[in-house]
Amino acid sequence: MADIRRGLVWLDAEHQDKYLPQMINWEALGGISFKKGCYTGQEVVARAHFRGQVKKRLWRGSVNSTETLSSGTGVKDDNDRSVGEIVTSCVNENGASEFLAVINTKAINNQLPLSINGHSVELASLPYEVERLDPEQLALTISGQ
């Protein structure tokens, strides 16, 4: 529950190769460096960063349902089209299901009504801004330099 409220998602083998780091907000958390090192997939990640082509992001939300939403459960728009999917969820102390889901930014920006398994989605804020951050600059800011 605490990680969901912090906007932090843990991935396992089920999620392997499914999301770019930016889709799960690693860029916003300073977890990606575009200035050093090489790693498998770096070209794809960097291209998405520099061209601003990430069309899905991690969002936090809840539905008024006691069911734990399984990973991969679809998030639908008002036309019943899939616009995202649950990554993780749990039932909170009030009996609602809180979740983190990767959702198409167009659906969010257009403020479309969203639903999961017929339940209306209520989006919640994340405790961090979803924007492009330079990890080296972020580290300097945090350390007070």
Side-chain angles (χ1 to χ4, degrees):
M1 174 80 66
D3 284 341
I4 289 174
R5 290 180 177 169
R6 288 185 187 109
L8 303 173
V9 67
W10 294 92
L11 304 178
D12 55 27
E14 171 188 356
H15 302 106
Q16 185 173 341
D17 299 327
K18 198 167 189 177
Y19 307 113
L20 289 173
Q22 293 98 319
M23 289 179 185
I24 54 174
N25 298 345
W26 280 13
E27 185 177 29
L29 296 166
I32 305 170
S33 174
F34 295 98
K35 294 183 179 177
K36 55 184 168 181
C38 292
Y39 56 88
T40 304
Q42 179 180 11
E43 184 178 330
V44 173
V45 172
R47 187 178 305 123
H49 169 77
F50 290 111
R51 291 186 178 175
Q53 293 179 327
V54 177
K55 304 294 184 212
K56 296 179 180 181
R57 289 284 189 175
L58 189 72
W59 299 93
R60 183 175 152 238
S62 65
V63 292
N64 193 12
S65 170
T66 58
E67 81 179 284
T68 299
L69 305 168
S70 59
S71 178
T73 299
V75 178
K76 308 266 181 150
D77 68 10
D78 57 344
N79 291 319
D80 205 35
R81 287 183 298 221
S82 179
V83 294
E85 66 183 24
I86 298 294
V87 180
T88 189
S89 79
C90 66
V91 177
N92 68 21
E93 61 279 353
N94 298 322
S97 192
E98 291 188 35
F99 63 83
L100 291 173
V102 173
I103 303 174
N104 185 304
T105 55
K106 193 175 195 179
I108 300 296
N109 293 339
N110 291 339
Q111 299 180 348
L112 298 176
L114 303 175
S115 65
I116 299 172
N117 295 340
H119 301 284
S120 293
V121 168
E122 183 176 328
L123 292 176
S125 63
L126 291 165
Y128 52 82
E129 292 295 319
V130 179
E131 60 183 44
R132 293 183 186 208
L133 293 180
D134 177 357
E136 287 79 15
Q137 188 61 45
L138 182 63
L140 291 174
T141 302
I142 293 170
S143 68
Q145 296 182 3

